[in-house]
Amino acid sequence: MAAADQVPPPTRWAEVSSGAESAAAYRSRFAQLEAQGADLHGEARFVSSVVPPPARILDAGCGFGRLTRVLTQMGYDAVGVDADKHLIDIARREDPHTEYVHADLAAMDLSQENLSPWGTSTWAGTRGFRAAVLAGNVIPYLADGTLDAAIRQISAHLVPGGLIIAGYGLTREDLPESAHIVPIAEYDRALRGAGFSIQQRYASWDRAPWHAGAHYAVSVHRKG
């Protein structure tokens, strides 16, 4: 775990989204997509195909809880974590039955949090998550230079054999201008360095076949 006095640098997300108004606008954009009939549940379907419920799942970089609440509804013991306090406030307000923690992935220590909405958490040590999910371009929005630290912190919260499931855009055309381009080789290096091995890789959450030159990657890595 990271020392309590170590404060990670601001995430790239924090550079473009600050304050309650930005968080509300981000939430509103997804509400409009949902109203238009957009399919917003591809990540949840993928997770359930890899780790069926019930299981403890960490939604790392959960935003306003779009994926976390669906995982809860599917029967998972889900916890959402995000560095944006205003998005966490929205998640807690809209989904009071799911646990949400305001913390940076590169320094989080969930064993120190009171995670239960019904009282003091009874979990000992870390939560022992079966899998961590990083959806919605979480990786490209990490603060520069914190990928390794974020993966180590996530790993510390996983059970032996636990999974990291991540999906993100690989090219400038497939990322917001404010997001960092993270080559898949760089991501794989960080996972290998933390003791993970690749298990599956696709070009979409709907399992489009992976190929060199794909613009999006969904990767499943196993701990140990």
Side-chain angles (χ1 to χ4, degrees):
M1 300 294 176
D5 58 352
Q6 290 181 332
V7 179
T11 64
R12 281 181 171 262
W13 177 259
E15 296 175 2
V16 298
S17 179
S18 60
E21 289 187 6
S22 294
Y26 182 69
R27 176 65 183 96
S28 177
R29 179 158 64 87
F30 278 90
Q32 292 172 5
L33 289 172
E34 187 172 17
Q36 294 167 2
D39 180 7
L40 302 179
H41 304 307
E43 298 114 325
R45 289 194 299 271
F46 184 92
V47 171
S48 67
S49 72
V50 177
V51 185
R56 296 178 191 142
I57 302 291
L58 174 64
D59 186 2
C62 67
F64 61 84
R66 175 179 62 87
L67 173 59
T68 330
R69 69 168 59 92
V70 175
L71 293 175
T72 297
Q73 293 165 1
M74 293 172 69
Y76 291 98
D77 172 19
V79 176
V81 177
D82 202 280
D84 189 323
K85 178 184 182 301
H86 300 286
L87 288 175
I88 287 293
D89 287 343
I90 293 174
R92 288 170 172 166
R93 183 169 62 250
E94 294 187 354
D95 184 22
H97 300 297
T98 300
E99 301 169 13
Y100 293 98
V101 180
H102 173 224
D104 192 293
L105 298 181
M108 66 177 178
D109 182 356
L110 303 190
S111 67
Q112 302 304 312
E113 298 286 344
N114 174 12
L115 291 176
S116 172
W118 302 283
T120 302
S121 175
T122 58
W123 299 105
T126 60
R127 282 294 292 240
F129 293 98
R130 180 67 183 84
V133 185
L134 296 91
N137 289 322
V138 172
I139 295 297
Y141 272 115
L142 292 173
D144 290 349
T146 63
L147 175 59
D148 289 349
I151 296 300
R152 287 195 302 268
Q153 290 305 107
I154 293 170
S155 176
H157 291 78
L158 295 177
V159 298
L163 304 176
I164 290 183
I165 305 169
Y168 68 94
L170 298 173
T171 70
R172 175 51 58 207
E173 293 76 15
D174 295 277
L175 289 169
E177 187 61 33
S178 54
H180 179 56
I181 296 176
V182 181
I184 199 65
E186 180 180 342
Y187 178 69
D188 284 345
R189 176 204 54 76
L191 272 291
R192 285 196 304 272
F196 287 80
S197 58
I198 183 73
Q199 303 294 298
Q200 303 175 35
R201 174 158 289 150
Y202 302 96
S204 74
W205 290 102
D206 291 329
R207 295 177 179 266
W210 170 255
H211 59 92
H215 290 193
Y216 197 90
V218 175
S219 308
V220 180
H221 285 78
R222 182 180 184 275
K223 179 179 179 179

